[in-house]
Amino acid sequence: MAAKVSVAATARLHLGFFDMNGGLGRKFGGLGLSLDAPATRLTLTRATANDVEGPESDRAAVLLEKAQAALAPGSAHALTIHEAIPAHSGFGSGTQLALAIAAALRRLEDLPHDAAADAALMSRGARSGLGAGLFVTGGLVVDGGRGPNTRTPPVIARAEFPEEWRALVVSDPTDVGLHGADEKEAFVALPPSSEAESGELCRLVLMQALPALAERDLAAFGAAIGRIQEIVGDYFAPKQGGRRFTSAKVEGAIGRLIREGATGGGQTSWGPTGFAFVESETAARAIVARVEAQARADGLEIAIRKGLNRGAKIDAVYAEIA
């Protein structure tokens, strides 16, 4: 049995829902991409009483107790959060933290790994199975939405993200996206999308975005993501101040990136983080050099990220037997 378990789970971009109509009996469905950073990194060991330290420790303490109650009743653990994905920034931080804690506990207690079950257990994935899917496999995944008997929305497709492509990620550290009760209220208040919009989104995913990845066609991939983001952004605009983006400053920065040669611009989840794609590290550095002065003046941060084609790292250390 393991004496210590370390888990590293990385951020994801939510590239858009594609069925807010639900006319076929399933709703939501989504497209997501694992990034190489930022990450949540933690270590779990046994203890005589629960002890949680590090960033997001209050949130993590609640999640640890929830996992313990279901997976290891009566146990106690020391949990150290070494690094945490920024919360409420559109990176899926809460899901990755919850899944990392549950996965660490499972490995420590010699239980089988089951991210989909853990997502349901930890009350994650109410609308999206992307977090659980990406935790397991990384890359770019599609989830099939929620049906009447769905526990965690299933992953129905996965593709490798080209190693040479880069994501330009623009963050506004002074803003946060909708979350908690406000997010739930927004989903309740928004009306169903039209069948035509949902049909176009599904077609863009199946007949443009995924084939473009298979053929490493960035122009076609970017065009698909850009159009998905237009439709989804317009749908959610009533809850984002009438805009496609939560942050007007991020929206402006993404527009500049597109004008400089990037493609597929949009907002991940409720933001305030935006993204766009370029064909290489060299192109990414050149574009960032041309826009970073204005971004800095606006208080924004721009990072060059790779897609990550693997899931979370779960490493165990075993005690030596005397």
Side-chain angles (χ1 to χ4, degrees), residues 50-78:
N50 277 3
D51 180 45
V52 182
E53 299 180 343
E56 296 291 312
S57 57
D58 290 344
R59 193 182 196 186
V62 173
L63 293 169
L64 176 60
E65 290 179 2
K66 197 166 192 174
Q68 288 168 329
L71 301 174
S75 63
H77 299 87

Side-chain angles (χ1 to χ4, degrees), residues 4-8 41-44 82 104 313-317:
K4 178 173 70 173
V5 175
S6 296
V7 180
R41 306 180 193 277
L42 57 82
T43 300
L44 187 71
H82 306 288
K313 291 187 66 177
I314 305 171
D315 298 313
V317 174

